[in-house]
Amino acid sequence: MKILLVCYGGLSTSMLVNRMKKAVEESPNLKDRGIVIEAWGKEEYYEKLDDTRVIMLGPQVSMLKDEVRRVALDKGYDVPVVVIDKDHYGAMEAVPVLLAAFDAIKAHKKQG
Amino acid sequence: MDKFEQLLSKWLLPIAAKLEENPQLAAVRRGMMTLVPVTLVGSIPTIFSQLPNIPGMPQWFVDATTFLGQVTQPMNFATMGCLALYVAAFVGYYYSQQRKVWDIGAIVTSICAFIIMATLYDPETGATITSYYGGTGIFTALVFGLISVEILHIFRNKLHFTINLGDGVPTPILRSFENLWPILFSILILIVFKYGVESVTGVAMVQLVEKLFSPLTASVNTLGGMLLILFIQQLLWWFGIHGYAVMAPIWMAVAFANVDINAAIVAGESTEAVRVLTPNFMWDMAGTTGSGICGALCILMLLSKSKRFKSIGRLSIIPEFFGIGESVLFGLPVILNPIMFIPWLLSTPIAAAIGWIAIESGFMSPFVLVGPYIPLPFGAWIACMDWKYLIVWAAIIAVSVLLYYPFFKIAEKRALESEGSKTKDTRTLEDIEFDF
């Protein structure tokens, strides 16, 4: 299962991804569940959708939310698209971002 | 603030994104950054040639350093004297990664193209003149490094002008045959282009390129032009975009060429005006401890009453000495934090202005080489060989602390309030149920 982060292809989001990967690695609950976390720029992400369960946008690309949701649907990926909380992104807090990711997946599943 | 944020993100961010993703600019940026080891080697003879000038040294010291200066002198032409040649190679290499062509083929093509364009011939003796291989040829190296590899890419990947020897041939041979015609065509096209343009204009290509870029060089070399660059850089950072990476291609070629000019002035070979803008000026004055003078924030965090700030300050202090401020940037956070918007925007431009005045007024020497990447402030100190740099550096940090102080206090008050009331999400990763 993949958590896909989308931003401007900048360097900052990759820092967050590294922290999230580390948090997953250190959590006994998460580490062996095959969780993949990747960050891609907004020009590339649509080629990297395989196995994606949730797409998370950096706050600086929040206006892309509808477009990303549509592009993913066109490619056959009915996955939730959420904007990362400004404060969590700013402070690079991995755990709340991961919690938000799984919350989004669950909420999306409930909706059917 | 939110309205303003939305307005900015509508027009500024798409432009920044284009600049950051642009493959040509990315190749230029990486190519220029790779110059550091080259300039490090080149700085050795410059250091030796300066040491005999230290007053009050014994005669044996003067003799020894003068001798070492003479022995190491060839290192200077091999590095600083051929700086643009390295730029051509590096840009060719990084652009080959972007365009997915054979890296060795791309380097061959870009070096060849650069030498064709940058070599002048003495009209009487026909001897080669290599004066443009140094800093002044960097723009030619960038332009023709990119163009030559682009042509290679078109012939190789778009038009498929290749010779395929099939399987059973060793890869290096296979690769060079695949790229044989594209490399040749790229060079032939450029040499015809050079002949045509030079016949029409009567000016050598390398001088034409120099003229073409002179408006950029001139404006980046002014205080106003540089402040504008730094202002935009800070604005981008605030949005979480790597502002340094976006803006660096604009000033870097000029900055590296300026080091050359300053070194010539110090050596008494040139009477031009001293250039303020150099790599070390940008790294160790305008952007010391990271864009936005993160070190000032780091000091404030170390002294903070907030536990969270204090621990971020402790974590950040070592990286700060290498000019890396990201942990402060994301820890405070500065990113998208309205409280920090104003001081953040002003910090680097103010630091640059202080440095500019210090150098322009002659208070401290300009940077004459590119300092090695060692903990600050020592790299820049070596690069200007003037202890007064340390005074200016301390002043920059002190002014930045004062600038941030009132805004930091507001941020600290908020942090203390939120530390008091624990209404945060208390779940941990262990609480997640995998029922999906």
Side-chain angles (χ1 to χ4, degrees):
Chain A
M1 140 167 87
K2 188 193 285 184
I3 301 172
L4 187 68
L5 276 69
V6 178
C7 67
Y8 271 120
L11 306 166
S12 317
T13 309
S14 66
M15 277 176 64
L16 180 59
V17 167
N18 287 339
R19 291 201 181 186
M20 288 166 74
K21 280 182 182 161
K22 201 168 158 234
V24 168
E25 206 45 50
E26 283 169 0
S27 157
N29 186 16
L30 297 185
K31 74 174 178 187
D32 294 321
R33 293 190 193 265
I35 297 168
V36 177
I37 304 165
E38 289 177 6
W40 290 100
K42 66 180 182 55
E43 310 289 333
E44 303 161 301
Y45 75 90
Y46 50 84
E47 292 170 357
K48 313 287 179 187
L49 285 167
D50 56 292
D51 201 28
T52 294
R53 290 295 300 272
V54 57
I55 300 175
M56 309 192 85
L57 302 179
Q60 71 274 44
V61 289
S62 57
M63 62 284 197
L64 295 179
K65 190 174 174 182
D66 294 340
E67 186 193 321
V68 170
R69 168 92 176 119
R70 199 174 57 239
V71 169
L73 262 181
D74 283 351
K75 293 241 169 190
Y77 289 88
D78 178 18
V79 295
V81 178
V82 291
V83 178
I84 300 170
D85 183 90
K86 208 159 88 165
D87 293 333
H88 296 157
Y89 181 82
M92 297 264 130
E93 288 182 80
V95 172
V97 175
L98 281 168
L99 288 171
F102 294 118
D103 285 347
I105 296 171
K106 281 184 194 179
H108 192 71
K109 200 187 166 207
K110 237 181 228 159
Q111 279 175 13
Chain B
M1 197 67 207
D2 271 354
K3 278 260 165 62
F4 175 67
E5 206 182 302
Q6 279 167 10
L7 194 75
L8 275 177
S9 47
K10 229 178 222 157
W11 62 264
L12 180 77
L13 295 194
I15 300 171
K18 279 276 170 300
L19 286 173
E20 196 175 359
E21 291 156 3
N22 181 286
Q24 287 83 22
L25 288 179
V28 167
R29 187 164 61 229
R30 290 182 193 144
M32 299 297 295
M33 287 307 292
T34 314
L35 277 180
V36 175
V38 181
T39 54
L40 174 63
V41 174
S43 67
I44 301 296
T46 315
I47 292 173
F48 279 132
S49 69
Q50 288 301 307
L51 287 177
N53 299 339
I54 300 174
M57 283 292 155
Q59 190 58 38
W60 66 263
F61 179 82
V62 174
D63 291 342
T65 48
T66 308
F67 174 70
L68 287 173
Q70 282 162 0
V71 171
T72 53
Q73 194 52 41
M75 286 162 68
N76 188 49
F77 177 72
T79 53
M80 301 307 284
C82 293
L83 206 57
L85 202 58
Y86 291 96
V87 172
F90 296 157
V91 168
Y93 170 77
Y94 285 113
Y95 198 49
S96 76
Q97 308 286 301
Q98 304 270 351
R99 285 294 187 235
K100 306 211 164 35
V101 290
W102 186 37
D103 47 5
I104 306 264
I107 293 170
V108 169
T109 314
S110 60
I111 291 181
C112 188
F114 169 73
I115 295 178
I116 287 171
M117 296 300 170
T119 311
L120 304 178
Y121 293 91
D122 189 304
E124 278 164 29
T125 62
T128 50
I129 301 167
T130 58
S131 54
Y132 275 98
Y133 287 11
T136 42
I138 287 179
F139 280 117
T140 304
L142 294 176
V143 169
F144 288 103
L146 290 174
I147 292 177
S148 64
V149 176
E150 183 70 26
I151 300 174
L152 175 70
H153 158 70
I154 290 169
F155 277 103
R156 171 70 186 83
N157 294 340
K158 295 246 164 94
L159 304 174
H160 301 289
F161 264 65
T162 63
I163 302 168
N164 197 343
L165 296 179
D167 298 336
V169 178
T171 316
I173 299 173
L174 192 76
R175 283 295 194 135
S176 43
F177 268 86
E178 274 176 1
N179 291 280
L180 220 51
W181 291 115
I183 291 172
L184 186 63
F185 285 144
S186 176
I187 298 303
L188 283 177
I189 287 171
L190 287 176
I191 208 141
V192 170
F193 176 70
K194 174 187 154 84
Y195 182 77
V197 171
E198 290 186 354
S199 310
V200 172
T201 60
V203 184
M205 188 58 98
V206 65
Q207 288 158 339
L208 219 58
V209 173
E210 196 183 15
K211 267 215 179 74
L212 207 68
F213 279 94
S214 61
L216 173 73
T217 314
S219 52
V220 171
N221 270 326
T222 62
L223 180 59
M226 199 190 48
L227 290 183
L228 183 67
I229 289 174
L230 292 173
F231 192 73
I232 298 171
Q233 170 191 304
Q234 292 305 99
L235 198 56
L236 294 174
W237 268 124
W238 190 80
F239 279 100
I241 293 173
H242 202 296
Y244 175 85
V246 174
M247 301 307 285
I250 300 173
W251 57 263
M252 246 188 196
V254 179
F256 272 94
N258 281 350
V259 173
D260 242 16
I261 294 169
N262 283 344
I265 295 168
V266 168
E269 293 159 11
S270 167
T271 52
E272 273 186 74
V274 155
R275 302 294 168 90
V276 175
L277 173 73
T278 54
N280 282 99
F281 175 82
M282 290 305 241
W283 299 334
D284 299 314
M285 295 187 99
T288 188
T289 68
S291 305
I293 324 296
C294 284
L297 282 170
C298 186
I299 293 170
L300 289 171
M301 284 175 130
L302 278 173
L303 302 173
S304 172
K305 280 181 283 231
S306 155
K307 270 194 201 123
R308 190 169 70 87
F309 281 4
K310 218 177 183 122
S311 71
I312 296 167
R314 278 201 203 106
L315 274 175
S316 317
I317 191 77
I318 304 268
E320 285 296 348
F321 276 94
F322 290 88
I324 292 160
E326 262 91 344
S327 42
V328 169
L329 209 57
F330 292 103
L332 186 70
V334 173
I335 307 290
L336 296 169
N337 183 349
I339 301 166
M340 302 311 289
F341 185 73
I342 291 168
W344 177 254
L345 235 57
L346 295 177
S347 58
T348 293
I350 287 176
I354 293 172
W356 189 281
I357 292 165
I359 294 175
E360 191 76 29
S361 68
F363 176 76
M364 65 168 272
S365 311
F367 293 103
V368 290
L369 44 94
V370 180
Y373 193 52
I374 54 175
L376 55 91
F378 300 106
W381 186 9
I382 291 173
C384 66
M385 290 179 285
D386 186 351
W387 61 271
K388 284 192 205 125
Y389 163 75
L390 300 179
I391 299 176
V392 182
W393 182 72
I396 287 173
I397 302 281
V399 168
S400 307
V401 169
L402 289 177
L403 169 71
Y404 278 123
Y405 184 78
F407 301 93
F408 178 81
K409 278 289 155 191
I410 302 172
E412 185 185 39
K413 199 169 153 232
R414 298 247 177 116
L416 284 170
E417 277 166 15
S418 76
E419 270 167 41
S421 65
K422 276 265 179 211
T423 48
K424 271 172 68 180
D425 194 340
T426 52
R427 291 178 299 163
T428 70
L429 293 178
E430 308 317 309
D431 300 332
I432 299 169
E433 274 179 67
F434 280 84
D435 52 358
F436 47 82

